[in-house]
Amino acid sequence: MPFFSVIIPLYNKEGQIKTTLQHVLSQNFVDFEIIIVNDDSTDKSLEIVQSFSDDRITIFSQENQGASSARNFAIKMAKGKYMALLDADDVWYPNHLEEHYKSISMFPEGDLFCNAYALKLSKSHIENASYTIKKRNEPHIIKDYFKASTIHPIGWTSALSIKKSTFNDIGGFNESIISGQDLDLLIRFGLEKTVVFNPAITCYYDKTVQNSLSKENHQESKYMLFNSFKDEEKNNSSLHLYLTLNRYSLAIQCKRAKNKTTLKKLLPEIDTSLLNWKQRLLLHTPSSLVILLKKIHLFLISKGVYISSYK
């Protein structure tokens, strides 16, 4: 029985999956299996993973049902006690599983284990994620997941390992959610389970890879997801702050996508008293100017300058 099961949902990532797999196979900690679920890819993704000969890799294929379904199925088939999640276009450093093992050894009672991560904002610029916690050098339990996640979230999908029994207990990924399934899962963990954070940076999120955040149905799905926790946030000020910041982020996405329908419903629900002056200013900025400011933002990133409305 392997210690970790590495869970990779795969859909049309022929440009990234080879690099992703190579970095998994280069881990310092080697007691793991890799379970890949091909979600009916239409490019050469499946062919690329089949070219790897490592006997730790198991490949399944299913009709296209989305990443949540692929992850749930992979975890069902997994033999390990701990699930290490990885998207097919993200990259682990060699110490990733090693640091997760360290956290688990120190806190075996933990349920969700989060490593620190970085953000690849351009081809030449990688920025370390920032968290609202006191800096520490060793793994530790996060007492308030939501308060700790008001700049960047403590938990990010490809930086997580999860105790399989807890994953099953909490109900897994919600396959009915179009976009934001990871947020939904992490909110449930933050509300109910023990979260451990390791400050060692072990991976990066490639934000240069195109995603579906600009699609109106994905934005509407996020809106409905946030509202599904309205009862919980009434009695949890940290969750209310966390969801307010996520609603703000979604509003900016809607402005950039010119999605007036979701934006109109979203704006009255944002508690602007919890936003800083930069966020309030952007929230009331016309969409055309928000789009222009984003272009300027990307230009500055290409020059090595990173400015965030969350700081």
Side-chain angles (χ1 to χ4, degrees):
M1 180 183 292
F3 191 87
F4 289 107
S5 294
V6 179
I7 305 300
I8 304 177
L10 179 64
Y11 179 72
N12 288 0
K13 297 295 182 182
E14 64 178 8
Q16 297 85 30
I17 185 58
K18 182 177 180 180
T19 299
T20 297
L21 265 181
Q22 287 172 335
H23 280 80
V24 176
L25 296 172
S26 298
Q27 290 295 297
N28 297 335
F29 185 92
V30 298
D31 186 12
F32 62 85
E33 65 173 348
I34 302 171
I35 299 183
I36 299 171
V37 176
N38 172 45
D39 194 37
D40 208 11
S41 294
T42 58
D43 63 2
K44 295 182 179 179
S45 295
L46 180 59
E47 181 181 331
I48 291 169
V49 297
Q50 288 174 334
S51 70
F52 284 80
S53 58
D54 196 295
D55 60 8
R56 290 174 292 183
I57 300 174
T58 302
I59 304 169
F60 297 95
S61 289
Q62 66 176 24
E63 293 183 2
N64 183 259
Q65 298 177 59
S68 289
S69 171
R71 289 193 185 104
N72 284 340
F73 177 76
I75 291 173
K76 180 180 179 181
M77 304 305 295
K79 299 175 182 176
K81 184 177 180 180
Y82 293 91
M83 309 294 105
L85 307 186
L86 178 60
D87 284 344
D89 52 8
D90 293 323
V91 172
W92 286 352
Y93 299 144
N95 65 334
H96 183 76
L97 292 179
E98 183 178 49
E99 291 295 337
H100 272 311
Y101 182 76
K102 178 180 178 181
S103 297
I104 292 166
S105 299
M106 291 178 65
F107 299 99
E109 75 278 16
D111 299 300
L112 176 70
F113 299 87
C114 309
N115 284 350
Y117 57 92
L119 308 167
K120 185 176 182 181
L121 302 175
S122 70
K123 290 183 179 179
S124 59
H125 186 70
I126 294 180
E127 184 85 13
N128 293 340
S130 300
Y131 315 101
T132 323
I133 55 175
K134 183 179 179 180
K135 288 187 178 181
R136 298 170 66 174
N137 296 323
E138 292 292 324
H140 56 280
I141 291 175
I142 296 294
K143 294 181 179 180
D144 189 332
Y145 175 85
F146 307 111
K147 187 176 180 180
S149 302
T150 57
I151 301 177
H152 291 114
I154 286 288
W156 164 60
T157 310
S158 292
L160 305 177
S161 64
I162 302 172
K163 187 182 293 184
K164 183 175 180 178
S165 59
T166 306
F167 178 85
N168 292 333
D169 177 61
I170 210 166
F173 286 98
N174 186 340
E175 297 179 21
S176 68
I177 299 174
I178 297 173
S179 180
Q181 307 96 329
D182 52 343
L183 280 172
D184 171 73
L185 184 77
L186 288 167
I187 290 172
R188 284 184 276 138
F189 266 98
L191 286 169
E192 302 175 29
K193 303 298 181 181
T194 300
V195 179
V196 177
F197 177 68
N198 187 329
I201 298 171
T202 66
C203 50
Y204 71 77
Y205 169 27
D206 192 346
K207 296 197 75 173
T208 66
V209 177
Q210 290 186 341
N211 55 42
S212 302
L213 293 178
S214 62
K215 294 182 178 179
E216 285 196 16
N217 63 330
H218 285 242
Q219 292 164 356
E220 185 67 18
S221 177
K222 285 272 187 74
Y223 169 76
M224 294 172 65
L225 163 62
F226 299 151
N227 281 353
S228 70
F229 291 98
K230 275 194 169 183
D231 288 341
E232 290 84 354
E233 72 175 304
K234 288 177 183 177
N235 302 309
N236 188 321
S237 59
S238 295
L239 176 61
H240 178 56
L241 172 61
Y242 176 81
L243 289 174
T244 294
L245 292 170
N246 275 277
R247 290 182 178 111
Y248 156 76
S249 177
L250 180 59
I252 299 304
Q253 290 174 23
C254 289
K255 282 176 175 282
R256 290 173 55 201
K258 298 183 179 180
N259 177 3
K260 296 181 180 179
T261 303
T262 304
L263 182 62
K264 185 177 180 179
K265 294 188 293 183
L266 184 61
L267 285 176
E269 299 180 6
I270 298 175
D271 185 352
T272 56
S273 69
L274 298 178
L275 302 181
N276 63 38
W277 69 269
K278 288 185 287 185
Q279 292 163 343
R280 290 195 296 270
L281 181 62
L282 283 171
L283 201 59
H284 294 95
T285 298
S287 295
S288 57
L289 185 52
V290 169
I291 293 169
L292 175 60
L293 289 172
K294 184 60 179 180
K295 291 179 180 178
I296 295 171
H297 184 232
L298 293 174
F299 173 77
L300 291 173
I301 287 173
S302 71
K303 300 299 180 182
V305 178
Y306 179 58
I307 300 172
S308 171
S309 65
Y310 290 85
K311 298 181 183 180

